[in-house]
Amino acid sequence: MGVSTPSRRERLRAETAAEIKTVALGLMAEGGPDAITLRAIAREMGMTAGAIYGYYETRDTLVSALITDVYTSLVDTVEAARDAVPADDAAGRILAWGQTLREWALANPEGFRLIYGDPVPGYQAPEGGAAAEAAHRACAGLTGLVAAAWPQAVARQPGGYDWTDFDPILTGLVRAEFPGLPPAAVALALRVWGRMHGLVALEVYGHLRGQTKDAGRLYLDELRDLTRSLGLEGRPAAPA
């Protein structure tokens, strides 16, 4: 059987739903998370508030859809960049993930702020769902980068960590997907995350503006220093 073609009504509904999400991100860019309201979106689009409710039952339903789209886009992008580098090139894969994270964040600053920055006041995230799956993939991907570097990095890491030092959900994920990793590797993964995201967040929020003329070079040097600190010898080349 052939694939059915969406009807004109279905296409229009999908286009309107996508436009609602685009307008919501634009409102957030201008006024912060508080600006995401269904009534404000309706005004921007020349619709009634009741019509908006026909697409998203509540503001939280819309925010959940936004987070799912944004988080999935980010994870798809960084995973593709990582997988384009040979699996035995731990330094190159860390560099690819980090560089692509920065590029995505600069191209999607409102999306970055939505998932890593400003919380939406009063928002209650649903249990499970696609957004949680994207977060799981991001965590597993970053931990996988550390797992690949761990044989070289282990001698340079402080000890004394126990599984009880970390969130049970996080430890459950790591122990299920990377059974050979010790608690100290989880600590390292969190520190790697902090180094990757730190300069990106400063740049997205405008704090590096006027401080440096080349934030990209600053970030690349941070990633290179990170790989050296993990005992991954050599200086990975910058992407072409």
Side-chain angles (χ1 to χ4, degrees):
M1 297 177 61
V3 178
S4 62
T5 302
S7 67
R8 181 173 184 275
R9 182 177 182 179
E10 291 171 333
R11 292 197 305 272
L12 289 174
R13 181 175 178 81
E15 290 169 2
T16 302
E19 184 180 355
I20 289 170
K21 289 187 282 190
T22 299
V23 170
L25 287 176
L27 289 171
M28 180 179 170
E30 295 175 3
D34 283 336
I36 301 179
T37 70
L38 297 185
R39 290 188 179 277
I41 294 168
R43 285 196 300 270
E44 288 287 322
M45 297 180 65
M47 299 173 65
T48 65
I52 296 289
Y53 285 106
Y55 292 87
Y56 298 100
E57 295 179 355
T58 65
R59 188 281 312 261
D60 282 6
T61 304
L62 169 60
V63 172
S64 294
L66 283 171
I67 291 173
T68 296
D69 286 357
V70 167
Y71 220 151
T72 301
S73 169
L74 169 60
V75 177
D76 285 348
T77 304
V78 293
E79 283 182 344
R82 174 203 63 194
D83 293 344
V85 178
D88 61 355
D89 184 0
R93 284 164 75 90
I94 289 172
L95 182 67
W97 184 288
Q99 285 281 84
T100 305
L101 165 67
R102 175 177 177 268
E103 292 167 3
W104 183 93
L106 294 181
N108 303 274
E110 293 81 21
F112 181 88
R113 291 174 60 185
L114 183 65
I115 58 177
Y116 289 124
D118 312 318
V120 178
Y123 171 66
Q124 297 293 322
E127 292 290 334
E133 174 60 25
H136 178 107
R137 287 169 57 198
C139 180
L142 192 60
T143 305
L145 296 177
V146 169
W150 187 246
Q152 290 74 38
V154 58
R156 301 166 180 249
Q157 304 310 310
Y161 286 101
D162 188 83
W163 289 115
T164 57
D165 293 327
F166 306 102
D167 177 79
I169 295 177
L170 174 61
T171 59
L173 183 155
V174 172
R175 298 181 82 170
E177 300 201 15
F178 305 96
L181 284 185
V186 179
L188 177 59
L190 292 173
R191 285 166 33 223
V192 168
W193 180 30
R195 292 189 67 172
M196 282 189 174
H197 281 247
L199 283 175
V200 172
L202 289 175
E203 190 173 5
V204 167
Y205 279 87
H207 298 303
L208 292 183
R209 192 176 302 123
Q211 307 299 320
T212 177
K213 295 179 179 178
D214 193 348
R217 177 183 177 186
L218 199 68
Y219 186 68
L220 179 58
D221 283 342
E222 175 69 358
L223 292 180
R224 286 171 166 164
D225 185 65
L226 169 61
T227 60
R228 286 194 295 270
S229 75
L230 298 176
L232 303 176
E233 301 301 327
R235 291 170 57 90

